[in-house]
Amino acid sequence: MYGVCGCCGALRPRYKRLVDNIFPEDPEDGLVKTNMEKLTFYALSAPEKLDRIGAYLSERLIRDVGRHRYGYVCIAMEALDQLLMACHCQSINLFVESFLKMVAKLLESEKPNLQILGTNSFVKFANIEEDTPSYHRSYDFFVSRFSEMCHSSHDDMEIKTKIRMSGIKGLQGVVRKTVNDELQANIWDPQHMDKIVPSLLFNLQHIEEAESRSPSPLQAPEKEKENPAELAERCLRELLGRAAFGNIKNAIKPVLIHLDNHSLWEPKVFAIRCFKIIMYSIQPQHSHLVIQQLLSHLDANSRSAATVRAGIVEVLSEAAVIAATGSVGPTVLEMFNTLLRQLRLSIDYALTGSYDGAISLGTKIIKEHEERMFQEAVIKTIGSFASTLPTYQRSEVILFIMSKVPLPSLHHPMETGKTGENRNRLTQIMLLKSLLQVSTGFQCNNMMSALPSNFLDRLLSTALMEDAEIRLFVLEILISFIDRHGNRHKFSTISTLSDISVLKLKVDKCSRQDTVFMKKHSQQLYRHIYLSCKEETNIQRHYEALYSLLALVSIELANEEVVVDLIRLVLAVQDVAQVNEENLPVYNRCALYALGAAYLNLISQLTAVPAFCQHTHEVIETRKKEAPYMLPEDVFVERPRLSQNLDGVVIELLFRQSKISEVLGGSGYNSDRLCLPYIPQLTDEDRLSKRKSIGETISLQVEVESRNSPEKEERVPAEEITYETLKKAIVDSVAVEEQERERRRQVVEKFQKAPFEEIAAHCGARASLLQSKLNQIFEITIRPPPSPSGTITAAYGQPQNHSIPVYEMKFPDLCVY
């Protein structure tokens, strides 16, 4: 009976008749609007029939697709769209199932028009907010199919573009439909993200191709609307913007895999663009998760080519700068630790020539220039990221980097051997470069916080290194810390200006904290400046850095006491050039003369003492006429004009300590201190450093003794200092140090491991010995004085003093009051 009713139109169910009536006889006439309104009213009036309407429409659409009646297919999809937009009742879930079945049928078709039609319908559906949740709906097919459309390789360029854009729109629709609905399929699962993200990146990667095919500027706006790359970027931004804390990792991992698989780290342009999109799209509080992903990926690629690692580091640099504006949190030191570890690995790779430390037939040979490029990228990243950090975090980073620098001390032993020395040197240079990048632009009002003792001690110990490049880095780092008002570039050229007002220096009064800092560390700083001036391997850049350091200390940290000490220091440097006990080359001696002239010219104008300025001006003018090779204008040039005979320098060419003491003493400065020649403090730092300066230390000790002795003209050295003497001194000092260290170790071990009774007995014996010695001292001290009556003869004919108590002694009458 049911089959008979189906053949007779009048006996068919009403919903079927309403559906049939929306289809015209000629499909080109389009949807019958009046009948469509009737169907919509019926669906709204009887929502329980909505699932049957959907099933019947689906049946007709599948039949029409099979018969290639594409006009009726379009009409069916249009009707479905209108019903979806109009009906939001609780029964819509079953209707949606029929709708998705019809969309899937269109997407499975090989006809591009049907694929695009199905995608457009799905996008309209994705924009609808449903009133009732769905517990069983699945979008796995749509994710796979839309991702496949994003990779379309159709022969027709225009059709290919349309298919790809449809695929992107479809993925965007899936994301919008599922991302905020916890009851539906989790779109953040790796199985979905591994399809969605690479599809978007694939289209984003071909933006150059789309732009290159733009036929003319007049058609550019239309082409921009049809550009899959821009649509993919918008979709990617929307996807990342909706990501919650726990979903960031699943969204970033496919990006890293895509860049690895397509070798996109080496050009690094696309990779940087991708992560800029990511960093600006996610929520700021999630930035550190992306940084952690990049750091982990860098560690995972530690044995990859240097170009790949450099690309990852460049991307990390861009991402970290953006992340620093938000919240980086605990990843700060983690990031620097990873970068420094990669830096050390790169140094090892460059030295050994392989990733395994031993070259074999199957080992990949490493190109040294590529490793150097990677190292520079790491240093640049350290600096760019540190520049965005607040002061307190930056201080922690500075201390952290300095703690990694290998230094020759008891607590930081260095590697031995030729390879070890090279590794130490390269590591020192790279870490000091990183430290210089971090310290550039560092602003801290309190120098005690900027240069704490543990940091300053380690930094200045590297200033005594034998390597000239390392010493230059130390000077530049000190300059970066001390320069807080941007005066550094004004002292880049050493000169004797007659009026320093043209420099427009920014000078502030020395604060109380800076005064405390200089009282604590000034002598240590002066000593290293003095010893740095005496290095034979100094070049023009070293003297320029020393001049900048002296000038900046005078501006930033100077009070009257500091000014006096700096003048004494520079006069001592002048004595080094004049006496030449170090056998310095001619250029170094002329450079020291010129350095002293430039600094005293500057400090005399800063102190504004007329007599001091006059003395400085007179000496400079005399040098201009008689000895221009003692001025910076002739020394610190591309072709310096030097004099081969510097032994007979007349007093008129020198800055005289007595004269400066006289003129400054009259202006309230400490003239007594000015009269004392500067002598650096002697420490064990020379011996612990790589400088072979034990001979220098001995000569300084001899000089100190000779200066302090009133009989310096009559004294003759008891022993001539020769090579064997120096060698013996070095060996003996090392042996004594080893013995002392071993003795201390045994004492500590004894008190840690020995029984309590043994320790108590040992301490009791020492206490008894001490008491006996004290008793002897007391007995000698309190013994009555000898008798004034003379001596008596004891046994064996030996004279013996006879002592009587004080109360029994008789004094003359003149002593009684």
Side-chain angles (χ1 to χ4, degrees):
M1 186 66 183
Y2 178 79
V4 174
C5 293
C7 297
C8 182
L11 298 178
R12 300 180 68 189
R14 185 182 179 189
Y15 73 91
K16 288 189 176 182
R17 284 185 280 125
L18 290 173
V19 170
D20 292 336
N21 291 337
I22 66 173
F23 292 94
E25 294 183 3
D26 187 359
E28 294 183 358
D29 294 339
L31 182 67
V32 181
K33 295 183 179 181
T34 55
N35 294 336
M36 186 64 211
E37 292 175 357
K38 295 178 181 179
L39 178 61
T40 304
F41 180 78
Y42 177 77
L44 291 173
S45 302
E48 67 277 3
K49 301 291 185 178
L50 191 59
D51 57 334
R52 300 183 182 182
I53 295 174
Y56 184 60
L57 273 171
S58 175
E59 179 184 343
R60 287 204 54 158
L61 182 137
I62 294 173
R63 183 176 67 244
D64 291 335
V65 170
R67 296 176 179 178
H68 304 289
R69 300 169 64 180
Y70 301 124
Y72 289 116
V73 171
C74 295
I75 293 173
M77 291 307 301
E78 184 179 356
L80 281 170
D81 293 341
Q82 292 190 21
L83 287 174
L84 277 174
M85 297 298 292
C87 303
H88 288 184
C89 56
Q90 296 181 354
S91 303
I92 197 174
N93 280 331
L94 296 177
F95 176 74
V96 169
E97 294 300 324
S98 301
F99 168 78
L100 293 178
K101 182 178 179 182
M102 297 166 65
V103 172
K105 184 65 177 180
L106 295 180
L107 294 176
E108 289 176 348
S109 174
E110 296 181 357
K111 298 291 183 180
N113 292 335
L114 294 183
Q115 296 175 13
I116 296 172
L117 178 64
T119 303
N120 293 336
S121 296
F122 183 84
V123 170
K124 293 178 182 178
F125 161 70
N127 292 327
I128 298 175
E129 294 184 5
E130 300 183 49
D131 297 334
T132 55
S134 174
Y135 302 96
H136 58 281
R137 196 179 300 164
S138 175
Y139 294 96
D140 294 356
F141 168 78
F142 296 99
V143 172
S144 301
R145 183 56 184 156
F146 288 140
S147 299
E148 184 180 350
M149 291 170 63
C150 290
H151 292 81
S152 173
S153 57
H154 199 278
D155 297 333
D156 191 335
M157 182 64 187
E158 185 176 357
I159 295 177
K160 180 176 70 174
T161 300
K162 290 181 178 180
I163 294 176
R164 288 187 178 182
M165 291 188 67
S166 296
I168 298 170
K169 291 178 181 178
L171 291 177
Q172 190 176 29
V174 173
V175 171
R176 290 177 178 177
K177 199 64 181 175
T178 60
V179 72
N180 292 325
D181 193 347
E182 298 179 357
L183 299 176
Q184 296 185 7
N186 188 4
I187 200 65
W188 300 106
D189 288 342
Q191 60 179 350
H192 299 313
M193 286 290 104
D194 291 344
K195 297 175 183 178
I196 295 175
V197 175
S199 301
L200 299 177
L201 295 178
F202 176 77
N203 286 275
L204 191 63
Q205 179 183 347
H206 291 79
I207 184 171
E208 294 83 4
E209 178 183 353
E211 291 177 350
S212 63
R213 293 181 178 273
S214 182
S216 66
L218 296 177
Q219 298 181 5
E222 296 181 1
K223 289 294 179 181
E224 288 178 3
K225 295 179 182 179
E226 299 174 358
N227 190 353
E230 294 184 1
L231 185 61
E233 180 178 343
R234 289 198 300 270
C235 183
L236 182 61
R237 289 182 183 276
E238 183 177 351
L239 174 68
L240 296 169
R242 295 171 179 266
F245 182 86
N247 302 326
I248 293 293
K249 183 178 180 180
N250 291 340
I252 301 302
K253 188 176 180 180
V255 178
L256 300 173
I257 295 175
H258 181 83
L259 296 175
D260 286 340
N261 293 339
H262 295 271
S263 302
L264 296 174
W265 293 111
E266 297 181 23
K268 72 190 175 186
V269 176
F270 177 73
I272 291 176
R273 182 165 179 257
C274 284
F275 274 89
K276 281 186 175 181
I277 293 173
I278 292 171
M279 298 305 294
Y280 283 119
S281 300
I282 62 175
Q283 301 178 30
Q285 61 269 27
H286 299 161
S287 299
H288 66 281
L289 297 176
V290 181
I291 301 298
Q292 287 177 343
Q293 287 285 95
L294 282 169
L295 292 173
S296 301
H297 197 67
L298 180 60
D299 282 336
N301 285 272
S302 58
R303 293 179 180 268
S304 300
T307 52
V308 174
R309 286 178 282 134
I312 299 175
V313 169
E314 290 280 353
V315 172
L316 185 61
S317 174
E318 297 288 341
V321 170
I322 299 172
T325 59
S327 173
V328 184
T331 59
V332 174
L333 290 182
E334 178 188 354
M335 176 178 176
F336 284 101
N337 189 33
T338 301
L339 292 175
L340 294 179
R341 181 170 61 250
Q342 292 296 325
L343 198 60
R344 294 185 68 93
L345 286 175
S346 177
I347 292 172
D348 290 339
Y349 295 159
L351 288 175
T352 60
S354 68
Y355 295 118
D356 303 323
I359 300 178
S360 60
L361 295 177
T363 303
K364 182 179 179 181
I365 303 300
I366 295 174
K367 297 179 181 179
E368 187 175 353
H369 72 278
E370 292 183 353
E371 291 297 333
R372 195 178 302 112
M373 177 193 66
F374 169 72
Q375 294 163 11
E376 294 296 332
V378 171
I379 294 171
K380 177 184 175 184
T381 301
I382 290 174
S384 61
F385 180 46
S387 63
T388 62
L389 296 177
T391 302
Y392 73 95
Q393 280 188 333
R394 207 165 174 181
S395 300
E396 292 178 359
V397 170
I398 288 170
L399 294 174
F400 179 75
I401 295 177
M402 195 67 220
S403 66
K404 300 291 184 179
V405 179
L407 296 177
S409 64
L410 298 176
H411 304 289
H412 299 84
M414 301 180 70
E415 298 183 45
T416 57
K418 185 65 176 177
T419 304
E421 291 180 0
N422 291 336
R423 182 179 290 108
N424 289 331
R425 180 183 179 276
L426 290 175
T427 304
Q428 289 165 353
I429 290 176
M430 291 302 166
L431 292 179
L432 289 175
K433 276 186 177 180
S434 304
L435 195 58
L436 179 60
Q437 289 284 335
V438 176
S439 62
T440 301
F442 181 73
Q443 295 292 333
C444 185
N445 295 327
N446 188 356
M447 290 303 297
M448 293 292 291
S449 301
L451 294 173
S453 299
N454 55 345
F455 171 76
L456 188 63
D457 292 342
R458 289 181 59 83
L459 180 64
L460 291 180
S461 64
T462 58
L464 302 179
M465 290 289 180
E466 194 177 28
D467 192 279
E469 187 177 4
I470 292 177
R471 296 200 309 272
L472 183 60
F473 278 127
V474 175
L475 292 174
E476 291 179 348
I477 290 169
L478 285 172
I479 290 170
S480 296
F481 279 111
I482 296 176
D483 181 25
R484 294 174 291 183
H485 294 87
N487 292 316
R488 175 181 181 178
H489 67 281
K490 300 173 184 177
F491 302 112
S492 58
T493 303
I494 308 178
S495 62
T496 53
L497 293 173
S498 58
D499 184 8
I500 64 170
S501 61
V502 297
L503 297 177
K504 297 180 180 180
L505 300 175
K506 299 178 181 178
V507 183
D508 284 342
K509 185 178 179 180
C510 183
S511 64
R512 181 178 299 178
Q513 294 87 350
D514 293 342
T515 302
V516 174
F517 171 80
M518 290 304 290
K519 284 185 177 180
K520 185 177 182 181
H521 299 292
S522 60
Q523 296 303 320
Q524 186 183 14
L525 186 62
Y526 300 154
R527 175 178 180 271
H528 286 81
I529 294 176
Y530 178 80
L531 295 178
S532 297
C533 290
K534 299 171 65 174
E535 293 289 345
E536 294 184 8
T537 54
N538 285 344
I539 58 175
Q540 180 176 340
R541 291 184 61 191
H542 289 85
Y543 296 112
E544 290 173 349
L546 287 167
Y547 174 69
S548 297
L549 181 58
L550 288 169
L552 290 171
V553 171
S554 305
I555 292 175
E556 298 281 352
L557 305 173
N559 50 29
E560 290 186 3
E561 183 179 348
V562 173
V563 169
V564 169
D565 287 341
L566 288 173
I567 293 174
R568 293 173 57 226
L569 171 62
V570 173
L571 291 175
V573 171
Q574 178 182 256
D575 292 341
V576 170
Q578 182 184 7
V579 180
N580 197 25
E581 292 181 352
E582 311 296 328
N583 293 323
L584 296 175
V586 175
Y587 173 79
N588 296 64
R589 295 178 66 186
C590 292
L592 292 180
Y593 280 127
L595 175 64
Y599 176 72
L600 291 175
N601 174 69
L602 174 69
I603 197 65
S604 64
Q605 297 186 55
L606 287 175
T607 56
V609 178
F612 187 19
C613 294
Q614 182 180 358
H615 172 66
T616 306
H617 179 71
E618 289 175 355
V619 175
I620 292 175
E621 289 300 322
T622 306
R623 288 187 180 184
K624 286 181 180 179
K625 295 176 182 178
E626 301 180 11
Y629 49 84
M630 300 173 69
L631 292 175
E633 287 77 9
D634 278 30
V635 177
F636 301 117
V637 291
E638 185 177 355
R639 295 181 179 180
R641 294 181 287 275
L642 308 176
S643 172
Q644 298 302 324
N645 185 15
L646 293 175
D647 295 331
V649 177
V650 296
I651 194 171
E652 288 78 9
L653 298 177
L654 300 176
F655 298 96
R656 297 186 296 279
Q657 188 159 2
S658 59
K659 180 66 175 177
I660 296 176
S661 175
E662 177 185 348
V663 297
L664 289 181
S667 299
Y669 289 86
N670 190 345
S671 59
D672 295 337
R673 190 174 181 85
L674 273 169
C675 293
L676 296 175
Y678 171 75
I679 300 174
Q681 296 178 351
L682 300 177
T683 65
D684 293 337
E685 201 166 7
D686 294 325
R687 176 172 48 79
L688 295 178
S689 69
K690 289 295 290 181
R691 296 173 73 252
K692 301 178 177 64
S693 59
I694 189 69
E696 175 188 339
T697 305
I698 294 175
S699 65
L700 285 174
Q701 292 173 348
V702 173
E703 180 183 358
V704 171
E705 292 176 359
S706 63
R707 288 187 178 184
N708 294 335
S709 174
E711 303 174 355
K712 59 181 180 181
E713 296 180 357
E714 300 179 3
R715 291 184 59 180
V716 179
E719 180 182 0
E720 183 181 0
I721 298 177
T722 62
Y723 172 76
E724 294 297 331
T725 306
L726 299 180
K727 182 178 179 181
K728 183 179 179 181
I730 294 174
V731 174
D732 292 345
S733 63
V734 173
V736 171
E737 180 186 346
E738 292 293 334
Q739 293 176 3
E740 180 68 16
R741 190 185 301 116
E742 180 64 22
R743 188 186 67 81
R744 291 180 180 178
R745 188 191 63 79
Q746 292 176 357
V747 171
V748 172
E749 184 178 358
K750 179 179 180 180
F751 275 87
Q752 288 178 345
K753 298 181 179 180
F756 175 76
E757 294 78 7
E758 181 179 346
I759 296 175
H762 176 72
C763 294
R766 293 192 62 180
S768 301
L769 179 62
L770 177 61
Q771 186 62 40
S772 64
K773 294 292 183 183
L774 290 174
N775 292 337
Q776 294 178 11
I777 294 172
F778 292 152
E779 183 181 355
I780 295 173
T781 304
I782 66 176
R783 178 183 299 170
S787 173
S789 61
T791 60
I792 61 175
T793 303
Y796 306 104
Q798 296 294 331
Q800 183 178 10
N801 290 332
H802 177 69
S803 299
I804 59 176
V806 175
Y807 56 85
E808 294 181 0
M809 294 176 61
K810 295 181 179 180
F811 296 94
D813 297 337
L814 294 176
C815 295
V816 180
Y817 295 94

